[in-house]
Amino acid sequence: MKIAVFASGTGSNFSAILESIHSKKIINVEVVLLVSDRPEALAVQKARDDRIPVFTFFAKDYPNKQAYELEILDELTQRKVDFIVLAGYMRLLGNVLLRVYDRKIINVHPSLLPAFAGKDAIGQALDYGVKVTGVTVHYVDEGMDTGLIIAQQAVTIDSDETRETLIEKIQEQEHRLLPEVIQRLANREEAR
Ligand code: GAR
């Protein structure tokens, strides 16, 4: 299964996927493209270091979402991408990609959805004072973190929890859960 990873930031989930492939924790999965709306993102650097093809763009250089998504779609088609994984990609997808990759786009989010959708889910959970939060992997639709849930992992928030310790606990679970789900989806594609 050929996948494209979309990332806007640090790319720790992107690295976790690559590491799972290198260590053969996941098999029959190949990352053929990294897409980023932030050419200076660390994720882009990581892809270049790993010689993974990169497509970057600045949304403001295009008249609308459809225009840049058509360019992304062209890259995906050329590279025969089967599946898209959003790993810290901080933009809503539009119809161009959603229509062609229907039920073939997943996202990882740092909360137990539907709680704390949108930006800074970890800060939202700490501000609210919940004792349990977590990680969700879900299919992507046109909403903000609203698609069908595939897998979730709870993470407890201790009384002495800080933002830093919670980020660490959540990322540890993301880095385990996301590759696991990708493997499950690849197995299902194989069985077709
Ligand atoms: C991850 O925690 C991911 O769950 C979150 O962005 C972070 C990216 O980290 N995504 C969202 O909040 C999407 N709504 P990374 O760049 O180190 O993988």
Side-chain angles (χ1 to χ4, degrees), residues 7-8 35-40 55-72 89-94:
S8 306
V35 173
S36 182
D37 58 335
R38 288 191 41 225
E40 76 289 3
F55 177 75
T56 61
F57 65 97
F58 283 118
K60 63 175 174 43
D61 293 344
Y62 296 81
N64 51 39
K65 193 184 289 274
Q66 187 179 5
Y68 67 73
E69 284 202 347
L70 280 169
E71 282 199 9
I72 296 174
Y89 180 68
M90 294 309 193
R91 281 180 186 278
L92 285 179
L93 292 192

Side-chain angles (χ1 to χ4, degrees), residues 106-124:
I106 61 170
N107 178 45
V108 60
H109 182 78
S111 75
L112 291 177
L113 289 171
F116 310 128
K119 285 197 178 141
D120 193 20
I122 293 176
Q124 290 184 57

Side-chain angles (χ1 to χ4, degrees), residues 30-162:
E30 188 188 355
V31 180
V32 296
L33 182 68
L34 178 85
V35 173
S36 182
D37 58 335
R38 288 191 41 225
E40 76 289 3
L42 213 58
V44 172
Q45 195 50 53
K46 287 180 176 166
R48 296 224 159 95
D49 291 349
D50 245 54
R51 295 174 194 279
I52 289 169
V54 170
F55 177 75
T56 61
F57 65 97
F58 283 118
K60 63 175 174 43
D61 293 344
Y62 296 81
N64 51 39
K65 193 184 289 274
Q66 187 179 5
Y68 67 73
E69 284 202 347
L70 280 169
E71 282 199 9
I72 296 174
L73 182 58
D74 196 40
E75 290 283 332
L76 298 172
T77 310
Q78 275 183 42
R79 296 177 195 284
K80 298 188 169 40
V81 169
D82 301 303
F83 237 93
I84 298 174
V85 177
L86 307 187
Y89 180 68
M90 294 309 193
R91 281 180 186 278
L92 285 179
L93 292 192
N95 276 341
V96 170
L97 294 179
L98 288 171
R99 223 178 275 146
V100 177
Y101 283 91
D102 183 33
R103 279 295 184 103
K104 293 196 164 191
I105 310 176
I106 61 170
N107 178 45
V108 60
H109 182 78
S111 75
L112 291 177
L113 289 171
F116 310 128
K119 285 197 178 141
D120 193 20
I122 293 176
Q124 290 184 57
L126 285 170
D127 288 349
Y128 201 95
V130 291
K131 299 296 174 202
V132 179
T133 183
V135 173
T136 302
V137 180
H138 63 94
Y139 285 109
V140 173
D141 62 14
E142 63 288 347
M144 172 89 80
D145 304 317
T146 50
L148 188 74
I149 291 171
I150 304 170
Q152 290 187 304
Q153 173 64 54
V155 171
T156 53
I157 300 183
D158 298 327
S159 52
D160 60 349
E161 203 80 66
T162 63

